[in-house]
Amino acid sequence: MLALGARAQAAEAQSPVTRVHGVATALAACWRPAHDDDQVTVRISFTREGAVIGEPRIVFARSSGGRADDSALAASMMAAIRDCTPLAFSTRLGAAIAGQVLDIHFIGRSRATIVAPP
């Protein structure tokens, strides 16, 4: 329970995410992939307040360390989402994307893009 409170306080302290691409950037900043060119695509939805709706789904994972590392890579992304949400959405962004399904593709921590709704 203490960890959840700490995450909520951290979300309040961060500057609000005002653009859709900021969602990808914020999650990428929390992710710790083993290799710079590891790739993950996650399907995820948020509430107006920036909390995750339901369970995010990893739809693609490829570790440059080989297939044996793919499941650990997916687990690292799920941990990043768990540890870094809720995100602090601006009122306008929250209203615009609440309930929308987003596919976000990450390549290492340096590149993250919203692919598209499925």
Side-chain angles (χ1 to χ4, degrees), residues 8-107:
Q9 288 174 351
E12 290 174 10
Q14 70 188 18
S15 52
V17 177
T18 59
R19 301 179 62 126
V20 175
H21 182 71
V23 174
T25 303
L27 292 175
C30 292
W31 186 39
R32 304 289 183 256
H35 310 96
D36 287 338
D37 54 352
D38 284 347
Q39 297 183 47
V40 172
T41 302
V42 63
R43 185 166 290 158
I44 191 168
S45 296
F46 294 93
T47 65
R48 289 178 180 265
E49 295 78 26
V52 175
I53 297 172
E55 186 71 23
R57 188 167 61 139
I58 304 296
V59 295
F60 175 79
R62 184 178 348 180
S63 172
S64 61
R67 296 192 128 233
D69 291 343
D70 289 352
S71 62
L73 179 64
S76 72
M77 176 53 72
M78 294 300 281
I81 293 167
R82 181 186 62 243
D83 293 345
C84 294
T85 57
L87 297 175
F89 287 168
S90 67
T91 303
R92 190 173 188 173
L93 178 64
I97 70 168
Q100 299 293 317
V101 177
L102 303 174
D103 282 358
I104 308 173
H105 185 72
F106 299 88
I107 301 174

